[in-house]
């Protein structure tokens, strides 16, 4: 299954679905025909077909004038060549697709119906285990954590996992949790889980997870759990906590993308000014937090309000002078 993720993660979900559906409906297709259908280059179509084949999807190339790519055995309505693991992997990838349009969702349903009966439940569970949300909560971009695949599998298999985790404060902790779902928000992966002896769900940022061990203990999953509904509740709570203080800033327009990386979805209300600068609004849970994120900008960013953020910047400046003023005067 890891091969499937590794190969298919470079393919757009809509192309992958479309390719499989075209193969099902026609039985055979050439790279040129696929390129024309999907409006991509022939080389891209060929790479996609090769990636599908190398990852275990039951298709193979045929040489000659009447050649092309075909499903094993000419299968047109049943993806019986997929193993249970490959089915779960395929639908896990679709669940995390950024382009989850109505057409993509419809295609996913068609593929579920085309799977062998014993595989459908796991495939649907894998697709439902992951959700993607656009704008993040700010912070530096991170690569897809290696532990994501193990957690995905544990969600489908309904097994508990033991996390070795680094808290936001830098403290290390371990916890055995029942994984319920994964959410990709911006550039970060979050695990939604329950923990024995505590009420409600907990959220763990996957890039802070040092290791994951899948146990043999069955996970405890609430009967009425819905990942979308629960994530909406979590997001609303976090947004409320992280947007208690709002500041108005001015800065050169060319730095907007950098500031947006700092504040993520907590930057809005961008107004263009005549002098080439912009005026924006940012938010955080405290005035100190905003000041800490802006301190490194020096005078490039002007804080118009509130006074509490301006005061915190002055305090930070005084602290820096106290710590490093002697170094500056010696030069």
């Amino acid at each position: 299954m890891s091969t499937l993720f590794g190969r298919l993660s470079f393919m757009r979900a809509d192309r992958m679905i479309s390719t499989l559906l075209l193969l099902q409906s026609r039985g055979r297709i050439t790279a040129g025909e696929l390129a024309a259908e999907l409006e991509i280059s022939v080389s891209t179509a060929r790479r996609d077909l090769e990636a599908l084949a190398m990852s275990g999807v039951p298709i193979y190339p045929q040489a000659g004038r009447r050649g092309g790519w075909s499903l094993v055995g000419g299968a047109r309505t049943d993806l019986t060549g997929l193993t249970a693991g490959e089915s779960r992997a395929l639908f896990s990838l679709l669940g995390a697709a950024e382009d989850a349009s109505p057409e993509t969702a419809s295609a996913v349903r068609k593929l579920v119906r085309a799977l062998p009966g014993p595989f459908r439940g796991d495939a649907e569970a894998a697709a439902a285990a992951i959700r993607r949300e656009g704008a993040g909560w700010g912070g530096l971009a991170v690569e897809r954590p290696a532990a994501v695949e193990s957690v995905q599998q544990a969600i489908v298999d309904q097994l508990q996992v033991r996390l070795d985790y680094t808290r936001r404060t830098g403290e290390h902790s371990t916890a055995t949790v029942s994984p319920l779902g994964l959410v990709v928000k911006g550039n970060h992966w979050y695990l939604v889980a329950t923990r024995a002896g505590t009420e409600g769900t907990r959220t763990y940022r996957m890039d802070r997870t040092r290791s994951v061990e899948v146990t043999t203990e069955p996970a405890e999953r609430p009967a009425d759990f819905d990942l979308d509904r629960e994530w909406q509740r979590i997001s609303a709570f976090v947004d409320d906590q992280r947007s208690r203080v709002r500041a108005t800033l001015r800065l050169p327009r060319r730095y907007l993308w950098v500031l947006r990386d700092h504040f993520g979805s907590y930057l809005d209300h961008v107004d263009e000014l005549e002098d080439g600068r912009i005026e924006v609004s940012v938010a955080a849970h405290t005035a100190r937090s905003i000041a800490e994120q802006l301190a490194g900008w020096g005078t490039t960013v002007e804080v118009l309000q509130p006074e509490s953020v301006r005061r915190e910047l002055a305090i930070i400046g005084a602290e820096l002078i106290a710590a490093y003023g002697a170094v500056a005067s010696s030069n």
Side-chain angles (χ1 to χ4, degrees), residues 63 90 102 128 170 194 204 290:
L90 172 62
T194 58
Y204 300 87
I290 295 178

Side-chain angles (χ1 to χ4, degrees), residues 164-166 172 206-212:
D164 185 357
Y165 189 75
T166 303
H172 297 307
M206 290 299 296
D207 58 295
R208 293 182 183 151
T209 300
R210 303 170 69 193
S211 65
V212 172

Side-chain angles (χ1 to χ4, degrees), residues 88 92 121-127 129 151-159 179:
R88 288 194 298 268
S92 293
D122 281 357
E124 290 173 329
V151 173
Q152 285 177 331
Q153 189 62 53
I155 293 171
V156 174
D157 293 338
Q158 299 185 36
L159 295 174

